[in-house]
Amino acid sequence: MIKKTKLIILDIDGTLIDSVSGYHKVIINAMTDLGIVEIDTNFNALMHHTDSYALKYNYENFFNKELPVALLNDFEDLIVKYLQKQPKTIAIKGVAKVLNQLKNGEYAIAFATGSLPESAILKMNEAGLEMDEKVLATSKTSFSREGFVLEAIEKAKSYYNVTELEQIISVGDGIWDLKTAQNLNLEFIGIGTKNKELMQTNGMEHWFEDFTNFKIPVVKLN
């Protein structure tokens, strides 16, 4: 087996799967069930664009006390419950083929998502996309995107049995993905039209509308 010393880290929502449109409603319903009546729904403006931080921010603002760690489990269960009532998640065009090519190519693969693990797994399964949970990092272990992207890197090193990676590329659909990559000095590839202009304004160099013609550009090595 060829040792993989290059890593591609894949965001999930909006990048691999088309799940964003109804997902905010799912999050709001889950928070409401936890007793949070006043919810700041401008999730994009929060310090961290993650499910766990959205809960932390709204819970602590409403109840004026620290979020109990165990409540994340209840939140996760509620999200899954509401997701199961939604139309099934679909894959972004061309992504299944690209994931298969990456799996059999020179790049190691890891997944980093602002979702919680059970909801991420459910959405990927609904979309018919394979994902090894051993290389999945989520906002359940870190409120910040930087935190779980770093976790994804460490999980990939362990899974692929390498101590150093000569190149790491992050793939995402939002300005938060780009900023995280920049903060961690990672290469970045943008996906999708929704945030294209904003990402370009903030320094995105490589972009694809979807995965139909996706390829990893020739980029500098870290």
Side-chain angles (χ1 to χ4, degrees), residues 46-208:
L46 297 181
M47 181 187 296
H48 303 298
H49 191 268
T50 66
D51 290 1
S52 61
Y53 187 75
L55 174 64
K56 175 181 171 64
Y57 177 86
N58 281 286
Y59 181 94
E60 294 180 355
N61 270 11
F62 183 70
F63 290 109
N64 196 29
K65 61 181 180 180
E66 188 174 350
L67 173 72
V69 175
L71 201 65
L72 266 176
N73 294 326
D74 297 332
F75 186 49
E76 183 174 26
D77 291 342
L78 287 166
I79 289 173
V80 169
K81 182 186 82 170
Y82 282 111
L83 275 174
Q84 290 171 336
K85 297 177 181 179
Q86 293 269 60
K88 284 192 174 183
T89 305
I90 60 173
I92 297 297
K93 189 175 181 181
V95 72
K97 181 179 179 181
V98 167
L99 284 177
N100 189 57
Q101 289 173 339
L102 289 172
K103 181 180 178 181
N104 295 305
E106 63 176 321
Y107 278 83
I109 307 171
F111 302 86
T113 176
S115 292
L116 297 170
E118 294 305 319
S119 61
I121 293 165
L122 173 62
K123 287 179 283 186
M124 288 289 282
N125 285 341
E126 284 186 346
L129 300 177
E130 290 187 16
M131 176 178 66
D132 195 321
E133 297 171 33
K134 293 178 182 176
V135 286
L136 169 65
T138 76
S139 71
K140 194 160 189 179
T141 54
S142 175
F143 293 119
S144 75
R145 302 192 78 86
E146 286 82 0
F148 58 73
V149 168
L150 287 172
E151 181 186 355
I153 292 171
E154 292 308 310
K155 283 189 169 187
K157 285 180 179 179
S158 175
Y159 183 82
Y160 291 98
N161 193 28
V162 295
T163 55
E164 296 294 333
L165 292 164
E166 62 180 283
Q167 183 180 25
I168 306 174
I169 301 174
S170 174
V171 181
D173 70 302
I175 185 65
W176 43 88
D177 299 309
L178 172 62
K179 290 294 185 181
T180 299
Q182 291 171 336
N183 290 342
L184 297 177
N185 195 30
L186 309 179
E187 300 293 343
F188 182 78
I189 300 173
I191 294 291
T193 58
K194 184 176 181 180
N195 299 304
K196 178 186 179 184
E197 186 175 337
L198 182 58
M199 290 192 290
Q200 286 180 324
T201 301
N202 283 272
M204 177 180 70
E205 297 180 2
H206 308 289
W207 173 88
F208 296 91

